[in-house]
PDB file of all heavy atoms in Angstrom:
ATOM      1  N   SER A1531     -64.628 -26.881  29.983  1.00  0.00           N
ATOM      2  CA  SER A1531     -65.483 -27.414  28.927  1.00  0.00           C
ATOM      3  C   SER A1531     -66.965 -27.383  29.317  1.00  0.00           C
ATOM      4  O   SER A1531     -67.817 -27.652  28.490  1.00  0.00           O
ATOM      5  CB  SER A1531     -65.076 -28.847  28.532  1.00  0.00           C
ATOM      6  OG  SER A1531     -65.361 -29.053  27.176  1.00  0.00           O
ATOM      7  N   GLY A1590     -76.313 -31.785  24.518  1.00  0.00           N
ATOM      8  CA  GLY A1590     -75.276 -31.707  23.488  1.00  0.00           C
ATOM      9  C   GLY A1590     -75.083 -33.074  22.844  1.00  0.00           C
ATOM     10  O   GLY A1590     -74.997 -33.201  21.616  1.00  0.00           O
ATOM     11  N   SER A1591     -75.050 -34.105  23.679  1.00  0.00           N
ATOM     12  CA  SER A1591     -74.799 -35.441  23.139  1.00  0.00           C
ATOM     13  C   SER A1591     -75.936 -35.899  22.224  1.00  0.00           C
ATOM     14  O   SER A1591     -75.687 -36.539  21.199  1.00  0.00           O
ATOM     15  CB  SER A1591     -74.587 -36.431  24.279  1.00  0.00           C
ATOM     16  OG  SER A1591     -75.507 -36.174  25.322  1.00  0.00           O
ATOM     17  N   ASP A1695     -68.527 -29.787  16.988  1.00  0.00           N
ATOM     18  CA  ASP A1695     -69.011 -29.879  18.361  1.00  0.00           C
ATOM     19  C   ASP A1695     -68.881 -28.465  18.910  1.00  0.00           C
ATOM     20  O   ASP A1695     -67.781 -27.990  19.190  1.00  0.00           O
ATOM     21  CB  ASP A1695     -68.159 -30.878  19.146  1.00  0.00           C
ATOM     22  CG  ASP A1695     -68.540 -30.969  20.620  1.00  0.00           C
ATOM     23  OD1 ASP A1695     -69.084 -29.970  21.158  1.00  0.00           O
ATOM     24  OD2 ASP A1695     -68.296 -32.014  21.238  1.00  0.00           O
ATOM     25  N   ASN A1719     -74.467 -25.963  22.921  1.00  0.00           N
ATOM     26  CA  ASN A1719     -74.962 -26.356  24.234  1.00  0.00           C
ATOM     27  C   ASN A1719     -75.568 -25.120  24.892  1.00  0.00           C
ATOM     28  O   ASN A1719     -74.860 -24.310  25.475  1.00  0.00           O
ATOM     29  CB  ASN A1719     -73.830 -26.929  25.091  1.00  0.00           C
ATOM     30  CG  ASN A1719     -73.644 -28.412  24.843  1.00  0.00           C
ATOM     31  OD1 ASN A1719     -73.956 -28.904  23.762  1.00  0.00           O
ATOM     32  ND2 ASN A1719     -73.162 -29.123  25.828  1.00  0.00           N
ATOM     33  N   HIS A1721     -77.262 -24.856  27.502  1.00  0.00           N
ATOM     34  CA  HIS A1721     -77.080 -24.851  28.961  1.00  0.00           C
ATOM     35  C   HIS A1721     -75.659 -24.447  29.346  1.00  0.00           C
ATOM     36  O   HIS A1721     -75.405 -24.196  30.510  1.00  0.00           O
ATOM     37  CB  HIS A1721     -77.467 -26.204  29.563  1.00  0.00           C
ATOM     38  CG  HIS A1721     -76.921 -27.384  28.821  1.00  0.00           C
ATOM     39  ND1 HIS A1721     -77.318 -27.703  27.549  1.00  0.00           N
ATOM     40  CD2 HIS A1721     -76.009 -28.314  29.158  1.00  0.00           C
ATOM     41  CE1 HIS A1721     -76.674 -28.784  27.146  1.00  0.00           C
ATOM     42  NE2 HIS A1721     -75.866 -29.168  28.097  1.00  0.00           N
ATOM     43  N   LYS A1722     -74.736 -24.416  28.412  1.00  0.00           N
ATOM     44  CA  LYS A1722     -73.393 -23.923  28.725  1.00  0.00           C
ATOM     45  C   LYS A1722     -73.290 -22.461  28.284  1.00  0.00           C
ATOM     46  O   LYS A1722     -73.353 -21.544  29.085  1.00  0.00           O
ATOM     47  CB  LYS A1722     -72.335 -24.785  28.032  1.00  0.00           C
ATOM     48  CG  LYS A1722     -72.296 -26.203  28.565  1.00  0.00           C
ATOM     49  CD  LYS A1722     -71.273 -27.065  27.857  1.00  0.00           C
ATOM     50  CE  LYS A1722     -71.253 -28.475  28.448  1.00  0.00           C
ATOM     51  NZ  LYS A1722     -70.441 -29.405  27.664  1.00  0.00           N
TER      52      LYS A1722
HETATM   53  C1  PLP B2022     -70.478 -30.818  27.429  1.00  0.00           C
HETATM   54  C2  PLP B2022     -69.866 -31.275  26.171  1.00  0.00           C
HETATM   55  C3  PLP B2022     -70.523 -32.213  25.349  1.00  0.00           C
HETATM   56  C4  PLP B2022     -71.793 -32.936  25.743  1.00  0.00           C
HETATM   57  O1  PLP B2022     -72.859 -32.127  26.072  1.00  0.00           O
HETATM   58  P1  PLP B2022     -74.040 -32.675  27.028  1.00  0.00           P
HETATM   59  O2  PLP B2022     -75.065 -31.609  26.989  1.00  0.00           O
HETATM   60  O3  PLP B2022     -73.409 -32.853  28.373  1.00  0.00           O
HETATM   61  O4  PLP B2022     -74.522 -33.958  26.454  1.00  0.00           O
HETATM   62  C5  PLP B2022     -69.931 -32.533  24.154  1.00  0.00           C
HETATM   63  N1  PLP B2022     -68.748 -32.000  23.784  1.00  0.00           N
HETATM   64  C6  PLP B2022     -68.086 -31.103  24.558  1.00  0.00           C
HETATM   65  C7  PLP B2022     -66.784 -30.547  24.083  1.00  0.00           C
HETATM   66  C8  PLP B2022     -68.620 -30.725  25.780  1.00  0.00           C
HETATM   67  O5  PLP B2022     -67.957 -29.858  26.546  1.00  0.00           O
END
Side-chain angles (χ1 to χ4, degrees):
S1531 211
S1591 41
D1695 176 334
N1719 274 27
H1721 46 293
K1722 294 179 179 171

